């Protein structure tokens, strides 16, 4: 069944294509560098151990401390973004995390490693919800899943590109007096800073500021988005909103599901090079190539899932459950089998957990009040990202104790199985009703291009936080 908005103005489609080419591609590149800069320590683990005695447990703790900083500053970052505007805030995030990533060249022991990883999380905090909020504010519902999928592909290319270039960068050992691991951090961090500067000149905070769209495209796109978001959009304080969201069983359910996704992603991200070495691969270049394999194989399926979800929104919950089943089977089989065949099952697991995001976020937006959507995204993302602390640190403790990661993989597989069961509950949550396309006229739009707050429609799943007191 098609759920495309009826009588969509042609200018909406042309504007959306322009946004894809200018904004979504930029976000995909940012996402690629984002994932490279947070996960490149996976390729220097042996160097950190050899130079500074940072063993598996200390490495896992440092990898996870990133997510503690991210968690603590995610919602404050989101609140500041709404005050200063998406253009300035997204580019600020990109430039500062690039600077901190480049500063990893100054690691001299466990303490400096921990501090810089924590600061990297602080610098990156707010990036994901800011981009998701930007997409939901600039694109109608029917285009958002594919946009999120395209953006998420940046992460897959990140793991692939990061894996492939790690060998050559590490081979620069001794050039200009720096070790290879230092060149890896420095070059990748500087590239991120450069992209942040470019982004400042490409982004606009509001549709009404986008001079690269025609006046008709700006008006019709703003009208379409306002039509879809029509509801009581009164605003309470951020604290009130968070308190209201924390009382919602729906938010708890989505938190748990995405927590499992983050555990899966970052256990693989930080430990896959080590798993590859454990099966007998010693060359840095070959470790990089084999570590890229799961991410490269996932790209076609990610495009399929995101496009399928856009064309058939009623199937998104089923697609998410299917992805979790693939992730569970692949993770458990990899833990039980190991060796080269285990690597093949890691590919299957990655195919599952990396295809959740393009359908997860649209499902969330369909089931929450637009007035609290940005805060809900930030809250869920920040709490779920703690899975990125639990998994790497847990893997490190298990490896220090047993000499391998098989038991940790089994534990992760059980977490994914539980999350797969939780996705079945999403089907029982009603989607919030949308306003009729004729309910809003251009005069109802404020100067930001979003719906004026006096427009109201039927009830939604959750009331705004300021009405829950």
């Amino acid at each position: 069944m098609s759920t495309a908005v009826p009588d969509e103005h042609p200018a909406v489609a042309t504007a959306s294509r322009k946004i894809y080419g200018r904004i979504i591609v930029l976000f995909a590149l940012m996402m690629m560098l984002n994932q490279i800069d947070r996960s490149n320590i996976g390729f220097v683990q042996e160097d950190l151990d050899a130079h500074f005695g940072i063993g598996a447990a200390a490495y896992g703790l440092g990898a996870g401390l990133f997510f503690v900083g991210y968690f603590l500053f995610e919602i404050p970052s989101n609140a500041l973004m709404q005050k200063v505007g998406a253009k300035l805030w997204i580019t600020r995030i990109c430039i500062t995390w690039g600077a901190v990533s480049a500063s990893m060249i100054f690691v001299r022991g466990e303490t400096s490693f921990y501090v810089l990883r924590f600061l990297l999380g602080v610098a990156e905090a707010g990036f994901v919800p800011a981009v998701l909020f930007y997409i939901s504010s600039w694109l109608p519902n029917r285009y958002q899943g594919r946009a999120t999928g395209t953006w998420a592909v940046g992460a897959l290319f990140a793991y692939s590109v990061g894996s492939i270039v790690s060998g050559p960068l590490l081979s620069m050992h001794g050039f200009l007096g720096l070790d290879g691991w230092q060149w890896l951090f420095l070059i990748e961090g500087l590239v991120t800073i450069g992209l942040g500067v470019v982004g400042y000149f490409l982004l606009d905070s509001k549709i009404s500021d986008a001079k690269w769209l025609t006046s008709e495209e700006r008006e019709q796109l703003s009208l379409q988005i306002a039509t879809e978001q029509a509801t009581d959009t009164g605003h309470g304080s951020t604290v009130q909103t968070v308190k209201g969201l924390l009382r919602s069983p729906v938010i708890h359910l989505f938190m748990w599901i995405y927590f499992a996704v983050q555990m899966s992603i970052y256990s693989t991200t930080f430990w896959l090079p080590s798993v590859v070495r454990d099966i007998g691969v010693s060359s840095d270049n070959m470790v990089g190539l084999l570590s890229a394999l799961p991410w490269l194989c996932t790209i076609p399926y990610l495009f399929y899932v995101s496009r399928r979800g856009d064309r058939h929104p009623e199937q998104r919950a089923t697609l998410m459950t299917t992805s979790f089943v693939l992730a569970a089977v692949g993770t458990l089989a990899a833990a039980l089998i190991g060796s080269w065949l285990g690597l093949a099952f890691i590919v299957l697991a990655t195919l599952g957990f990396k295809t959740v995001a393009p359908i997860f976020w649209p499902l969330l937006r369909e089931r929450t009040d637009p007035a609290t959507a940005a805060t809900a995204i930030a809250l869920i993302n920040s709490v779920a990202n703690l899975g990125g602390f639990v998994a790497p640190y847990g893997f490190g403790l298990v490896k220090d104790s047993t000499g391998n990661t098989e038991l940790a993989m089994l534990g992760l597989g059980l977490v994914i199985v539980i999350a797969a069961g939780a996705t079945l509950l999403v089907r029982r949550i009603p989607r919030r009703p949308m306003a009729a396309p004729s309910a809003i006229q251009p005069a109802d739009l404020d100067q930001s291009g979003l719906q004026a707050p006096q427009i109201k429609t039927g009830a939604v799943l959750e009331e705004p936080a300021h009405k829950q007191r």
Side-chain angles (χ1 to χ4, degrees), residues 97-164:
W97 100 57
V100 175
S101 181
S103 298
M104 289 289 291
I105 66 173
F106 299 114
V107 168
R108 291 297 180 270
E110 290 183 4
T111 300
S112 56
F113 179 57
Y114 295 155
V115 169
L116 286 170
R117 286 294 298 178
F118 178 82
L119 291 177
L120 184 62
V122 173
E124 282 193 28
F127 174 68
V128 170
V131 170
L132 290 170
F133 180 72
Y134 197 103
I135 290 173
S136 67
S137 300
W138 280 68
L139 287 172
N141 289 335
R142 65 177 299 186
Y143 300 103
Q144 289 180 22
R146 188 156 56 95
T148 306
T150 302
W151 171 55
V153 166
L156 293 175
F157 276 116
Y159 302 130
S160 306
V161 173
S163 299
I164 293 170

Side-chain angles (χ1 to χ4, degrees), residues 199-432:
Y200 182 81
F201 295 99
L202 293 179
L203 291 175
D204 295 289
S205 288
K206 299 178 292 186
I207 294 174
S208 57
D209 294 336
K211 305 304 181 186
W212 40 275
L213 296 175
T214 67
S215 59
E216 183 181 38
E217 288 169 345
R218 291 195 295 269
E219 178 180 302
Q220 293 300 327
L221 182 63
S222 298
L223 179 61
Q224 181 71 43
I225 292 171
T227 298
E228 295 176 352
Q229 294 183 347
T231 187
D232 181 352
T233 57
H235 297 281
S237 69
T238 300
V239 173
Q240 291 172 327
T241 301
V242 171
K243 287 181 178 178
L245 292 171
L246 287 174
R247 290 195 293 267
S248 168
V250 172
I251 297 301
H252 292 169
L253 177 64
F254 278 104
M255 276 182 186
W256 166 246
I257 291 171
Y258 208 59
F259 182 87
V261 172
Q262 297 299 82
M263 284 192 68
S264 302
I265 290 173
Y266 292 108
S267 58
T268 304
T269 299
F270 292 125
W271 288 101
L272 183 56
S274 177
V275 171
V276 172
R277 289 190 175 95
D278 286 345
I279 61 178
V281 180
S282 58
S283 165
D284 286 335
N285 287 331
M286 187 57 65
V287 168
L289 289 173
L290 290 175
S291 297
L293 187 62
W295 315 109
L296 288 172
C297 292
T298 301
I299 291 173
Y301 187 60
L302 179 66
F303 274 120
Y304 166 77
V305 168
S306 59
R307 290 181 68 87
R308 183 78 179 178
D310 273 355
R311 293 174 178 176
H312 303 278
E314 74 282 358
Q315 295 182 11
R316 282 174 176 153
T318 300
L319 289 168
M320 184 165 68
T321 301
T322 302
S323 291
F324 267 103
V325 170
L326 293 176
V329 171
T331 302
L332 291 172
L336 295 172
I337 295 174
S339 190
W340 288 96
L341 186 56
L343 182 60
F345 280 108
I346 290 177
V347 172
L348 179 64
T350 307
L351 198 73
F353 62 70
K354 278 304 293 181
T355 54
V356 171
I359 42 184
F360 176 87
W361 297 114
L363 278 169
L364 172 66
R365 284 192 290 265
E366 290 172 355
R367 288 158 173 80
T368 51
D369 177 5
T372 60
T375 305
I377 290 170
L379 180 63
I380 290 171
N381 191 63
S382 62
V383 173
N385 263 305
L386 290 178
F389 171 79
V390 173
Y393 187 37
F395 268 62
L397 291 175
V398 170
K399 186 166 185 179
D400 263 359
S401 300
T402 66
N404 56 60
T405 58
E406 278 82 356
L407 286 177
M409 289 284 285
L410 280 173
L412 177 63
L414 293 176
V415 169
I416 298 172
V417 169
I418 297 172
T423 64
L424 299 176
L425 299 177
V426 173
R427 302 167 184 269
R428 303 176 61 182
I429 304 172
R431 297 165 65 185
R432 61 178 174 84

Side-chain angles (χ1 to χ4, degrees), residues 75-100:
I75 291 178
S77 176
N78 178 263
L80 286 169
M81 182 269 293
Q82 296 186 57
K83 289 181 179 295
V84 305
K87 171 182 178 175
L88 179 62
W89 202 243
I90 291 175
T91 54
R92 191 283 305 165
I93 291 173
C94 189
I95 291 170
T96 52
W97 100 57
V100 175

